[in-house]
Structures are given as structure tokens and as C-alpha cells.
Amino acid sequence: MPYSPEHAVQTRARIVESARRLFNRHGFEQVTIDQIMAAAGLTRGGFYHHFRSKDELYASAVASFVTCNPFAIQTADAAQRLRDPRRLARMLVELYLSDDVLDNVDLHCPLYALPSDVARAGLEPQQAYTALIRGMGHIYRTALKGVRDAGRRAEAVVALCVGGMVLARTTHDPDLRKSLRASARHQALALLKVE
């Protein structure tokens, strides 16, 4: 008896979630299809029913962050309270650079967890990564609506958030991890101020 379409969708989602977690922890090159499928509780043979290649899966894993990230979860829970674009943008900066997000490797954003991997990856992962950059920038541009240099400011806020987390992840010094993120947060919030 063939599986239902819902089963195929659920299986694909399990594979993507397994891949996203493993890629965040180990990077694209170090993770094999066998490891991804085993972590999803599936056999390698099923992989090609859902994906043409590891690159396609990588792109899906990067793109999946839009719905599984801490910000999306928190804003979905508080949708009624967060209609103000400026408040939403400030909340994203605070959450993105928080201790909770830094400490939870499984929820790391691909923008800071995988930049070197994506730079070496194929077109599909780069397109998914670009969509994340644009999506984050859109939140900040919306908060800066009416400001003359909104686009430039929004891109600077994205760069501060992502850069702050990239650097914080690379050092073993806990004080430096905190101060890097605090400095990035301070500058990002200053750029989001609309007078």
C-alpha cells in the first residue's frame, strides 16, 4: 500500500529538521546523507524519494529556519502584541543576540552558523541564504519606514547582528562573547531609532 501525501510531507520535514540540526552542529561537508537519514529514523534509500541531492537538502534546511527559528516561534505566540514594526525589529535584535540563542546550537541561524559552508555551496543553498538575509533586512526596513537611508541602516543592522554572533561563536572567552554581542546590540538598536 503506498504512503499518503501527508506521510511524504511529514517524512520530508523530518529529514529537513534532522539535516538542519546536523548542519548547524557539524557543517555541510562533515555531515553525510547516511547520518541525516539515521538521525531522522530513516534509511538512506528513502533520501532520493524526497531530494535530488545533498545540495537541495541543504537549501531546504537553510530555508526551513524561517519557520523554526526562536523569533518566528516567539512572534507567532505574541502576534497580537507585536503589530508595531519598530517593536518587532527591536525584539529581533534582542533575541538574535541573546544568551539563550547563542547557547542553543540546534536553533542557530544559518546566517551565522553556516556562512563559510554556504559560500562554498552551490546555487540553491546560496539562494536560500540570500532569502534569509533579505527577510531579516525587510523586518528592519519596515521598522525604518520613512527614514531616508532605511535600506542602508537595515543592512547595517543585519551585519551587526550576524557579525556579532559569528564572532561570539568563535571565541572561547565568555566575557568577550558577551561584550561582542552587547556592542553589536547597542549599535543595532541605535540604528533602529527613528527621531
Side-chain angles (χ1 to χ4, degrees), residues 30-98:
Q30 287 71 36
V31 176
T32 66
I33 292 171
D34 288 336
Q35 290 170 320
I36 293 165
M37 296 303 282
L42 302 164
T43 62
R44 180 187 176 96
F47 177 83
Y48 293 101
H49 292 289
H50 300 280
F51 300 96
R52 292 183 314 266
S53 66
K54 187 177 166 186
D55 272 1
E56 181 186 357
L57 172 58
Y58 192 47
S60 294
V62 169
S64 75
F65 190 74
V66 170
T67 57
C68 72
N69 71 73
F71 183 68
I73 293 165
Q74 191 167 346
T75 55
D77 290 345
Q80 293 301 324
R81 296 181 287 125
L82 295 171
R83 294 190 187 268
D84 176 13
R86 291 182 185 143
R87 186 170 172 210
L88 194 63
R90 288 190 302 272
M91 185 181 130
L92 176 56
V93 169
E94 294 285 352
L95 183 61
Y96 201 88
L97 293 162
S98 71

Side-chain angles (χ1 to χ4, degrees):
M1 180 171 133
Y3 290 114
S4 70
E6 295 83 23
H7 177 39
V9 169
Q10 291 171 352
T11 301
R12 181 182 171 92
R14 277 179 37 207
I15 296 167
V16 169
E17 177 62 14
S18 170
R20 189 187 60 74
R21 289 176 184 266
L22 288 169
F23 291 147
N24 269 4
R25 290 186 173 274
H26 309 291
F28 178 75
E29 292 296 327
Q30 287 71 36
V31 176
T32 66
I33 292 171
D34 288 336
Q35 290 170 320
I36 293 165
M37 296 303 282
L42 302 164
T43 62
R44 180 187 176 96
F47 177 83
Y48 293 101
H49 292 289
H50 300 280
F51 300 96
R52 292 183 314 266
S53 66
K54 187 177 166 186
D55 272 1
E56 181 186 357
L57 172 58
Y58 192 47
S60 294
V62 169
S64 75
F65 190 74
V66 170
T67 57
C68 72
N69 71 73
F71 183 68
I73 293 165
Q74 191 167 346
T75 55
D77 290 345
Q80 293 301 324
R81 296 181 287 125
L82 295 171
R83 294 190 187 268
D84 176 13
R86 291 182 185 143
R87 186 170 172 210
L88 194 63
R90 288 190 302 272
M91 185 181 130
L92 176 56
V93 169
E94 294 285 352
L95 183 61
Y96 201 88
L97 293 162
S98 71
D99 292 339
D100 290 343
V101 170
L102 181 67
D103 294 340
N104 190 340
V105 175
D106 287 338
L107 292 178
H108 280 184
C109 174
L111 295 180
Y112 62 81
L114 305 170
S116 295
D117 280 356
V118 172
R120 292 187 296 268
L123 182 60
E124 283 181 281
Q126 289 176 358
Q127 288 172 329
Y129 197 85
T130 299
L132 285 179
I133 293 169
R134 288 189 174 134
M136 191 174 184
H138 175 73
I139 291 169
Y140 298 134
R141 269 191 310 284
T142 301
L144 293 165
K145 188 175 181 176
V147 175
R148 187 175 45 89
D149 59 348
R152 197 166 44 93
R153 278 185 175 193
E155 288 179 357
V157 174
V158 170
L160 283 162
C161 289
V162 173
M165 290 299 275
V166 166
L167 294 175
R169 287 187 75 210
T170 61
T171 180
H172 70 286
D173 181 337
D175 293 334
L176 185 56
R177 288 176 127 194
K178 278 206 177 294
S179 68
L180 285 166
R181 289 179 297 125
S183 296
R185 183 181 305 109
H186 176 79
Q187 293 302 318
L189 292 174
L191 286 167
L192 287 171
K193 279 192 179 168
V194 177
E195 320 259 317

